Amino acid sequence: MAYIASLQSKSIKALALVAPSTAHFPQQRLHRIGRPTLLVTGEKDDIATSEWLEEVAKELQAEHQNVPVPDPSLQNHHEAVARNIAQFFSRTLLT
């Protein structure tokens, strides 16, 4: 629901969505973010697939990153996900 909040709040300057659910992603609002956005997925995720998120990223004019992990879930790979998000926020908010 962070995505919905970002549409309504001017205080959110950038957004990172980690393995967003295809069922809960509001396709009709994709164009409204207007902030730097990162979509993160595991390269073997079979729900939020890399191919689907790449299409969404193009629509959003967002960045998409695959985290190279050995299994479909990012659940046990917090450090790798956090590192990608931190680099994105540093690059987009601190420049």
Side-chain angles (χ1 to χ4, degrees), residues 26-88:
Q27 294 282 350
Q28 69 278 11
R29 295 186 183 176
L30 290 180
H31 63 283
R32 295 187 190 168
I33 287 185
R35 296 162 185 81
T37 302
L38 173 66
L39 304 174
V40 180
T41 190
E43 67 182 358
K44 295 184 180 180
D45 191 325
D46 54 357
I47 296 173
T49 66
S50 178
E51 294 80 16
W52 176 75
L53 281 179
E54 194 62 42
E55 288 179 30
V56 172
K58 286 178 186 174
E59 285 186 52
L60 288 173
Q61 296 181 343
E63 186 174 326
H64 171 236
Q65 292 181 2
N66 279 317
V67 179
V69 294
D71 53 46
S73 172
L74 292 174
Q75 186 173 8
N76 297 315
H77 305 285
H78 301 109
E79 289 181 17
V81 172
R83 189 171 31 257
N84 282 10
I85 293 171
Q87 290 171 353
F88 171 75

